[in-house]
Amino acid sequence: EVQLVESGGGLVQPGGSLRLSCAASGFTFSTIWMTWVRQAPGKGLEWVADIRKDGSENHCVDSVKGRFTISRDNAKNSLFLQMNSLRGEDTAVYYCATGSPGGYWGQGTLVTVSS
Amino acid sequence: DIQMTQSPSSLSASVGDRVSITCRASQGIRNDLGWYQQKPGKAPKRLIYAASSLQSGVPSRFSGSGSGTEFTLTISSLQPEDFATYYCLQHNSYPFTFGPGTKVDIK
């Protein structure tokens, strides 16, 4: 059974940092692109970033460029999102998902940026 | 960036109704489009990929069509479990972008 489990969310002050993790199981992690998608409270979905299966290529939305870094550890079947210089508008549930995104999503982890 | 619009933004329908949602892209995206269903408090679920291919395990009452700039998600006979918000997503060029969503509720 495919499982994606996010962790690392929480309350952080503006300007602070958080590192989200996504633990994957039930499939060959190293063969699939992975994606982060977020959803601010009461708002729609926003694609945030993705990363190639071997980690050699990644892309992100302009609003997080220079602040967020997506990475992966294929040996540990894990996806990460390092978030620095956090702003109020980064407050959201963050989902990891397989593919562009595709058929498998985690349950999400809530990030709240507030003083 | 490619902008995605959806219409309508919301609709009220009855069980058994045929429902269609339209998604338009600001430039051609071939068939690089997916449709997602999201229920409150839950992660999204992909229904359709490549504009018209049904995701495994998704009921056949869901179908997708279109190519280029205009796409449609159709539910042939609305069921109680289909009341949700639906999003389209283009993955033709970066940054990938979602439509604003269409909320389907009970009439």
Side-chain angles (χ1 to χ4, degrees):
Chain A
E1 179 194 4
V2 172
Q3 279 201 312
L4 296 170
V5 180
E6 301 96 335
S7 60
L11 175 63
V12 61
Q13 291 189 338
S17 297
L18 276 179
R19 189 191 196 209
L20 305 184
S21 299
C22 172
S25 61
F27 65 102
T28 307
F29 182 73
S30 61
T31 64
I32 296 182
W33 284 67
M34 294 295 294
T35 295
W36 287 100
V37 172
R38 69 183 178 182
Q39 186 169 37
K43 303 297 185 182
L45 300 171
E46 181 181 30
W47 179 90
V48 175
D50 71 2
I51 186 166
R52 190 183 176 91
K53 33 197 169 177
D54 62 359
S56 62
E57 179 183 344
N58 63 79
H59 308 88
C60 64
V61 67
D62 282 352
S63 60
V64 308
K65 270 180 187 169
R67 301 189 300 123
F68 290 12
T69 303
I70 187 172
S71 62
R72 64 192 296 163
D73 183 338
N74 286 345
K76 296 183 177 179
N77 292 341
S78 295
L79 175 71
F80 306 102
L81 187 67
Q82 177 67 43
M83 305 187 296
N84 299 330
S85 304
L86 282 159
R87 306 167 179 167
E89 54 265 36
D90 297 319
T91 294
V93 174
Y94 286 73
Y95 297 100
C96 68
T98 58
S100 55
Y104 299 104
W105 294 62
Q107 83 290 348
T109 187
L110 176 63
V111 172
T112 303
V113 184
S114 175
S115 55
Chain B
D1 297 2
I2 296 176
Q3 308 301 318
M4 305 300 291
T5 59
Q6 285 182 236
S7 60
S9 56
S10 65
L11 66 91
S12 295
S14 301
V15 172
D17 284 354
R18 181 182 181 88
V19 167
S20 291
I21 299 168
T22 297
C23 178
R24 291 185 175 87
S26 59
Q27 61 191 73
I29 59 169
R30 302 183 304 185
N31 70 335
D32 298 328
L33 183 115
W35 287 99
Y36 299 80
Q37 175 194 67
Q38 188 181 34
K39 297 180 180 178
K42 299 294 187 183
K45 171 186 173 181
R46 190 170 68 173
L47 305 173
I48 300 287
Y49 65 95
S52 59
S53 295
L54 191 67
Q55 183 78 25
S56 175
V58 172
S60 59
R61 62 180 180 273
F62 291 94
S63 64
S65 63
S67 182
T69 61
E70 188 159 329
F71 303 85
T72 301
L73 173 71
T74 299
I75 309 172
S76 61
S77 177
L78 201 65
Q79 298 302 300
E81 60 268 31
D82 300 337
F83 292 97
T85 301
Y86 294 83
Y87 297 91
C88 59
L89 167 79
Q90 70 81 18
H91 57 94
N92 177 264
S93 64
Y94 288 106
F96 297 166
T97 42
F98 284 94
T102 296
K103 186 175 181 181
V104 177
D105 60 23
I106 301 172
K107 191 172 188 177

